[in-house]
Amino acid sequence: MKRSVKQAGIAIAAVLATGTGAHADYPDRQITFLVPFAAGGPTDVIARIVGEHMSRSLGGKTMIVENVAGAGGTTGITRAAAAAADGYTIMMGHMGTHGAAPALYPNIKYDPTKDFTPIGLAAGTPILVVTKKAFPAKDLKSFIAYLKANDGKVTEAHAGVGSVSHTSCTLFHSVIGAKGARVTYRGTGPALNDLVAGQVDYGCDQIVNLVPQIVSGNITALAIATPQRSPALPDVPTTKEAGLPEFEVSAWNAIFGPKGMPKDVTDKLVGALDKALDDETTRKRLLDLGSILPDKDGRTPAALQKLVESEVKRWGPVLKAAMATEKATEAK
Ligand code: MLT
């Protein structure tokens, strides 16, 4: 007997509702998780911790972290944005790549607000001002005085124009009216190695890979740029406590796919991220490194889209003003 169009329609709806639809077998192979900075930095560390749990909830299909560094993270993000939107390439973006970068790269090849499928926020990351262990100034006030006295001579490590470390230090310099000699790395993982080795003087970086080095006394944390101290570093004063309330900045790391991913594939990734952030072991690993974990409402794709839109709007004028101040300092 021939089935009517209506019957066939009901059958298709039933198949979709029971999850045996178009991409029911997703993922059936390895997923590439692109990190737009070198290994060992905060973006990489968060991607590996979260990705490990996500791959388990996605049926054990491996997530291979691929580090594609360059141009403050925009090289890797440009590549990932152009990948097939099939869920087999996802990326870890952050406040720099999806907030600050458009203000600093006039020819950037992606629009953070339009060219991605948001999956969810993975972690908030406070910013710290840190110096090498042997730096002569031991607190924020004397560090600022030292920078002013040696304007443009003290070396500052960052992960490229538009990265979080670059953006945060740009803001810091504009607030204090002095700056360092900027040294570019492919990520703050290698930058931190040089800071520990005493090859560079300071940086403004995300808390995540700094905590173990601060706790071991290999580098000095001058202040954390958040209203409250971090439970991971209870002895480090806030910038307000250290006399610089004008400098407050926090970063975030979030997972995106290329634009136009199928909804059922996106939903699986969203569910896997949600499970990772509910998992006690994963949470502890992230919290011990000073991350701030988003609550359920804060980790939805819609919340991430809203965050990206507000960050792009926010950073444009802030960075233009900060860069102008930096140039004015140079001209003196
Ligand atoms: C940044 O400064 O944007 C990051 O710390 C880069 C990184 O994860 O290495």
Side-chain angles (χ1 to χ4, degrees):
M1 196 179 75
K2 269 194 184 165
R3 284 165 46 152
S4 69
V5 172
K6 197 171 163 194
Q7 278 173 322
I10 290 166
I12 290 167
V15 163
L16 289 174
T18 53
T20 49
H23 308 96
D25 55 353
Y26 171 83
D28 62 1
R29 58 187 160 90
Q30 171 185 301
I31 296 169
T32 298
F33 196 170
L34 192 136
V35 167
F37 294 98
T43 321
D44 181 74
V45 169
I46 295 170
R48 284 176 199 272
I49 294 175
V50 172
E52 194 183 302
H53 194 279
M54 285 177 77
S55 68
R56 258 183 279 146
S57 358
L58 291 168
K61 285 289 170 281
T62 327
M63 275 199 189
I64 294 286
V65 171
E66 193 187 343
N67 300 87
V68 181
T74 59
T75 302
I77 296 297
T78 303
R79 186 193 294 184
D86 55 8
Y88 290 99
T89 301
I90 57 172
M91 71 206 87
M92 187 63 91
H94 70 5
M95 173 270 259
T97 59
H98 285 72
L104 297 171
Y105 292 95
N107 300 322
I108 194 168
K109 296 229 162 42
Y110 62 85
D111 180 340
T113 65
K114 293 197 182 118
D115 293 335
F116 300 90
T117 301
I119 292 167
L121 191 61
T125 47
I127 302 294
L128 287 117
V129 183
V130 288
T131 67
K132 68 180 181 187
K133 189 178 173 177
F135 198 83
K138 298 293 180 203
D139 59 51
L140 191 65
K141 260 199 181 136
S142 39
F143 175 70
I144 294 170
Y146 191 98
L147 265 194
K148 286 186 172 171
N150 298 276
D151 200 14
K153 295 191 190 106
V154 186
T155 49
E156 175 242 317
H158 66 84
V161 171
S163 65
V164 167
S165 42
H166 175 269
T167 303
S168 303
C169 260
T170 300
L171 210 59
F172 176 62
H173 296 152
S174 78
V175 168
I176 66 168
K179 63 177 183 347
R182 311 201 88 170
V183 185
T184 307
Y185 289 82
R186 293 174 75 75
T188 48
L192 181 59
N193 291 342
D194 274 7
L195 195 67
V196 169
Q199 311 275 351
V200 275
D201 294 317
Y202 75 103
C204 311
D205 196 11
Q206 296 173 77
I207 193 165
V208 167
N209 60 336
L210 299 176
V211 168
Q213 300 295 354
I214 294 167
V215 170
S216 320
N218 294 330
I219 57 171
T220 307
L222 299 178
I224 184 162
T226 41
Q228 269 90 39
R229 292 187 181 204
S230 167
L233 293 169
D235 297 335
V236 176
T238 64
T239 41
K240 190 174 178 193
E241 289 171 327
L244 195 68
E246 306 87 345
F247 180 57
E248 272 185 5
V249 58
S250 252
W252 48 267
N253 289 260
I255 305 179
F256 300 85
K259 179 183 178 172
M261 268 173 29
K263 182 165 180 339
D264 54 352
V265 169
T266 306
D267 287 349
K268 282 191 186 175
L269 288 162
V270 171
L273 173 62
D274 197 39
K275 278 191 190 136
L277 294 178
D278 279 343
D279 173 67
E280 277 314 311
T281 311
T282 307
R283 290 181 72 80
K284 182 167 172 10
R285 287 175 76 190
L286 292 167
L287 290 169
D288 284 353
L289 294 174
S291 309
I292 296 170
L293 299 184
D295 59 19
K296 289 267 185 203
D297 289 345
R299 53 175 103 136
T300 64
L304 176 55
Q305 181 64 26
K306 229 171 145 184
L307 174 69
V308 170
E309 284 167 12
S310 71
E311 286 283 87
V312 169
K313 252 196 211 138
R314 179 167 87 98
W315 280 108
V318 168
L319 279 170
K320 272 177 198 139
M323 300 295 264
T325 314
E326 205 170 64
K327 279 225 164 68
T329 318
E330 260 162 38
K332 273 187 201 161

